[in-house]
Amino acid sequence: MSGDPKNASGGPNNAGRTEAQVFMISVAAQLAGMHAQTLRTYDRLGLVTPQRTSGGGRRYSARDVELLREVQRLSQDEGVNLAGIKRIIELTNQVSELQQHVAELSAEVERLRAGYRPDLSPPQRSTALVVWKPRHRR
């Protein structure tokens, strides 16, 4: 197999659509600039989780390759150990999920505001002061 990523990409599926591009481990390693054994180690440690074929072969997405490059940058340029990198990835994923949730909630608030009609809102409560005097019992 050549190192050309196009040769490792998914082809059309039976519905006629093109699947997301995936790479065999050797191509992903070349694209990420590291050895295939390093990718296996990162998979074992849970830093990157590639898709699996029915035979157990690893298939890396473009996002996985991007993540591998970031792992390498954090390790080599920033001096972060693998446990630290794993935590950074977890926190980054958590922040992304929370940002997505905030965006969904903001969109819901905007939908509710757009549908708000003052003429259908409940009447305002009175702020009048009422003085209460107890009756004298006999």
Side-chain angles (χ1 to χ4, degrees), residues 3-129:
D4 183 12
K6 292 178 186 157
N7 291 339
S9 66
N13 62 20
N14 34 357
R17 296 180 309 237
T18 302
E19 296 175 1
Q21 197 171 34
V22 293
F23 309 102
M24 294 174 44
I25 192 167
S26 58
V27 176
Q30 183 180 15
L31 291 171
M34 51 183 73
H35 195 276
Q37 190 59 41
T38 305
L39 274 65
R40 289 183 188 94
T41 300
Y42 289 171
D43 181 15
R44 213 172 21 259
L45 294 173
L47 295 174
V48 177
T49 308
Q51 300 169 17
R52 297 288 183 148
T53 64
S54 57
R58 293 171 176 89
R59 294 294 183 262
Y60 292 85
S61 67
R63 184 182 181 284
D64 292 332
V65 172
E66 184 179 315
L67 183 56
L68 288 165
R69 289 179 182 148
E70 180 64 9
V71 168
Q72 185 176 41
R73 186 193 70 76
L74 288 168
S75 176
Q76 293 178 357
D77 298 346
E78 304 293 332
V80 180
N81 66 23
L82 294 180
I85 292 171
K86 184 172 184 178
R87 187 67 179 139
I88 289 169
I89 291 169
E90 290 168 353
L91 291 172
T92 301
N93 290 338
Q94 186 178 11
V95 167
S96 295
E97 290 170 11
L98 290 171
Q99 287 172 332
Q100 175 70 27
H101 190 63
V102 166
E104 291 168 2
L105 291 174
S106 295
E108 180 66 18
V109 166
E110 288 306 312
R111 279 193 299 276
L112 291 172
R113 282 185 181 158
Y116 174 73
R117 291 188 42 200
D119 57 318
L120 296 179
S121 66
Q124 295 291 334
R125 287 186 165 181
S126 172
T127 57
L129 177 64

